[in-house]
Amino acid sequence: MSRTANQADNQRRDPLLTVEAPAKINLYLHVVGKRVDGYHLLDSLVTFLDLGDTIAVAPSDRLTLTIEGPFADGLSAGADNLVMQAARALAEDANVPALAAIRLTKRLPVASGIGGGSADAAATLKALSSLWRLPITAVRLAEIGLKLGADVPMCLNGRTAFVGGVGEAVEPAPPLPPFWLVLANPVVAVPTPAVFKARSGPFSSPARFAEPPSDAAQLSAYLAERTNDLTAPALALSPVIGDVLAVLRDLPQALLARMSGSGATCFALFADEAAARSGCAAVTRTRPGWWSACAPVIPPQPLS
Ligand code: C5P
């Protein structure tokens, strides 16, 4: 086939719409209470990285999901996949047929505390509401998203925010300064329900701040006064998380090391790119069996 024909063929097969599903990071996470249905009330500062999965959708006469990328293995493309659940939930809500060819490029480790599945579901809701040209509001999308998972509304919002309730109360946070994170995961899946179940002791207080931190060092100082309350139960279930935190804490110029969400992914915070990149290279060299990555935070966007 000629080069031009190849290109034309590729164009025909190219998906119409691509939506990024960025990694979600809980910069701090306080568990502040528990509802009667067992869900926990949270106070968290979440942000998103320039790193993540990708959802691509194209018209089709069926609903299909193909998964590619480094973490495609071990993830079912069946009806239980959150992406398929999101597609069906949206179609049902809008009363349209659930028809689309969906491709998920899975770059983030599964069940790792950085929102992967929730970010994929949020990106699917956005992509399919465009593909199907649905006149749907952001509020309605968030309601559909919440039924899929507590983290989906914050992933739909996609910008730095304080999160309350069980995850559905997404509120603006002060703009954060630029910073880089090194992520490390020991490639153990830590199931969120088990971590919440293993939590014990008194609840924390909410700890929001109003003043924008002036730089990464001040942000780290703010965060150091706060914590991730799920670290202790996650550590009890997967002690290797202690090694991950120790390795990250020891990286030169790391300002803070902490676990995200219910783990097992942990992050180290850096003021500048060069230090983060050499930190990431050091983790890759010394812990080749772990997943590690380095990315900047997505800069604050003007409110729409
Ligand atoms: O909503 P999602 O499916 O992500 O939550 C998985 C599990 O984590 C829930 O079934 C619940 O056991 C626990 N969870 C919780 N409180 C939250 C979020 C999740 O107890 N705010």
Side-chain angles (χ1 to χ4, degrees), residues 29-283:
L29 191 161
H30 287 186
V31 180
V32 300
K34 194 173 176 184
R35 287 198 323 204
V36 284
D37 65 0
Y39 265 79
H40 292 77
L41 297 168
L42 309 176
D43 172 51
S44 182
L45 176 62
V46 298
T47 196
F48 295 87
L49 300 185
D50 186 9
L51 166 84
D53 299 338
T54 306
I55 288 285
V57 297
S60 173
D61 55 5
R62 289 180 303 149
L63 180 65
T64 58
L65 172 63
T66 51
I67 309 179
E68 56 188 43
F71 287 99
D73 283 358
L75 193 61
S76 146
D80 58 328
N81 190 296
L82 218 46
V83 166
M84 291 298 254
Q85 289 183 37
R88 290 194 193 285
L90 180 67
E92 193 173 312
D93 184 82
N95 202 16
V96 297
L99 303 177
I102 308 175
R103 189 181 69 204
L104 164 62
T105 306
K106 193 80 207 151
R107 299 187 193 89
L108 302 177
V110 176
S112 71
I114 52 176
S118 306
D120 298 344
T124 303
L125 292 175
K126 285 183 184 171
L128 290 180
S129 45
S130 292
L131 182 74
W132 295 338
R133 298 178 192 281
L134 302 179
I136 192 160
T137 63
V139 171
R140 186 71 197 127
L141 266 192
E143 286 166 1
I144 299 170
L146 181 59
K147 290 191 206 140
L148 299 165
D151 283 0
V152 179
M154 67 185 87
C155 291
L156 278 165
N157 182 54
R159 40 170 72 105
T160 302
F162 285 122
V163 169
V166 299
E168 83 290 358
V170 182
E171 289 167 32
L176 300 184
F179 61 90
W180 281 72
L181 295 186
V182 172
L183 304 180
N185 180 292
V187 200
V188 291
V190 183
T192 302
V195 176
F196 273 105
K197 208 162 169 220
R199 198 211 67 91
S200 60
F203 293 115
S204 295
S205 300
R208 297 184 180 191
F209 53 85
E211 279 299 304
S214 56
D215 56 17
Q218 192 176 44
L219 171 64
S220 299
Y222 283 15
L223 297 178
E225 292 167 5
R226 294 156 177 87
T227 188
N228 181 342
D229 284 332
L230 296 180
T231 310
L235 265 170
L237 295 170
S238 293
V240 65
I241 292 170
D243 299 341
V244 180
L245 285 168
V247 165
L248 291 175
R249 212 173 278 129
D250 282 350
L251 293 177
Q253 297 180 52
L255 297 168
L256 178 98
R258 177 161 290 165
M259 190 180 84
S260 178
S262 55
T265 305
C266 299
F267 63 86
L269 197 153
F270 292 82
D272 74 274
E273 177 177 354
R277 286 200 186 280
S278 53
C280 190
V283 176

